[in-house]
Amino acid sequence: MKTVLITGATSGIGEACARKFAQGDYRLIITGRNSEKLSALQKELEAKGTEVMTLTFDVRDRKAAIEAVKSIPAEWAVIDVLINNAGLALGLDKEHEGSLDDFETMIDTNIKGLLTMTRLIVPSMVERNHGHVINIGSVAGDAAYAGGSVYCGTKAAVKMISDGLRIDVMDSAVRVTTLKPGLVETNFSRTRFKGDEERADKVYEGLQPLTGTDIADTAFYCAEAPEHVQIAEVLILATHQANSSMVSRDTNRNEHLS
């Protein structure tokens, strides 16, 4: 049985990936900051027959990440798939007016957290000549949009870091995939707007956004591709979204959303 380690598994894309890979006969190592949510997901999936291990830590805390990975028992230590999902956006202010604390949190989570987990997990993949890294980037990494420069910059970094890793491991059978979702209706916008539900809902108004399950399905497809196939990058957009800033909205569509 294969093992997948998923960061940020307590909600959104990470939680959806946990459910999808559980259905695909993987055993799971799920990580996140909220131990209660991790435990609840663990119990739910174990009740359906999936082996689940939880690790509670913040990817921004390098020491905690190192200790968490060290705590993985030997029988769980062979990780076949690493999904670097933990990430967030904070605020939509102009760069010269934004919060430095928000900037730091995004950089520490989206870039440095991803690098920490990659550094901790990938060496053993290379040594075994087997493994797959799936990094959750964003369409926002393709071009900046108003108020999103720092977040966009972190997701552009995810693409570059993924591309560089793919070069670094190309002599091995380790594969590297970047998934770049567009508008996905999760807690993402509520986090960005710090709990402002009304403002968050407007992000998805007038179109049917993607779901975490849509992205999880794509991640699973990439992981299950034949060993000689490396799906390097996938851009996934809602039907009425053209890129990070161009969206066609029609409030009448809301009547038909499921």
Side-chain angles (χ1 to χ4, degrees), residues 29-93:
I29 302 175
I30 53 175
T31 86
R33 295 177 295 170
N34 189 315
S35 60
E36 291 184 3
K37 287 184 178 180
L38 285 175
S39 295
L41 182 58
Q42 178 184 31
K43 290 177 182 178
E44 176 191 332
L45 296 177
E46 284 182 337
K48 298 177 182 178
T50 300
E51 293 182 71
V52 182
M53 177 181 177
T54 67
L55 298 173
T56 304
F57 66 96
D58 188 332
V59 294
R60 294 179 296 170
D61 186 336
R62 185 194 303 175
K63 183 178 179 181
I66 292 171
E67 291 303 315
V69 171
K70 282 183 178 179
S71 75
I72 298 174
E75 61 269 25
W76 284 79
V78 177
I79 295 168
D80 300 281
V81 181
L82 167 64
I83 301 180
N84 278 315
N85 165 74
L88 77 169
L90 291 172
L92 202 59
D93 299 312

Side-chain angles (χ1 to χ4, degrees), residues 47-203:
K48 298 177 182 178
T50 300
E51 293 182 71
V52 182
M53 177 181 177
T54 67
L55 298 173
T56 304
F57 66 96
D58 188 332
V59 294
R60 294 179 296 170
D61 186 336
R62 185 194 303 175
K63 183 178 179 181
I66 292 171
E67 291 303 315
V69 171
K70 282 183 178 179
S71 75
I72 298 174
E75 61 269 25
W76 284 79
V78 177
I79 295 168
D80 300 281
V81 181
L82 167 64
I83 301 180
N84 278 315
N85 165 74
L88 77 169
L90 291 172
L92 202 59
D93 299 312
K94 294 180 179 180
E95 186 175 323
H96 61 285
E97 298 174 346
S99 164
L100 288 173
D101 287 340
D102 286 352
F103 295 169
E104 186 173 38
T105 298
M106 287 186 280
I107 291 167
D108 287 352
T109 306
N110 301 356
I111 302 176
K112 293 166 69 176
L114 179 148
L115 283 171
T116 296
M117 295 306 298
T118 299
R119 182 65 181 85
L120 293 174
I121 302 299
V122 173
S124 62
M125 290 182 172
V126 174
E127 185 178 349
R128 296 192 313 269
N129 199 36
H130 172 79
H132 195 161
V133 180
I134 300 176
N135 290 331
I136 307 300
S138 172
V139 63
D142 288 347
Y145 56 77
S149 62
V150 176
Y151 174 70
C152 293
T154 65
K155 289 304 183 176
V158 169
K159 172 180 165 50
M160 290 297 108
I161 289 167
S162 302
D163 290 350
L165 179 63
R166 195 176 303 112
I167 294 168
D168 291 339
V169 301
M170 69 180 178
D171 290 334
S172 75
V174 176
R175 301 182 291 181
V176 181
T177 298
T178 308
L179 300 185
K180 304 193 302 184
L183 286 170
V184 184
E185 189 167 13
T186 61
N187 286 327
F188 177 87
S189 290
R190 284 186 286 276
T191 299
R192 162 168 263 172
F193 299 125
K194 301 179 180 179
D196 187 333
E197 298 277 349
E198 183 177 353
R199 193 175 180 192
D201 289 343
K202 287 185 180 300
V203 173

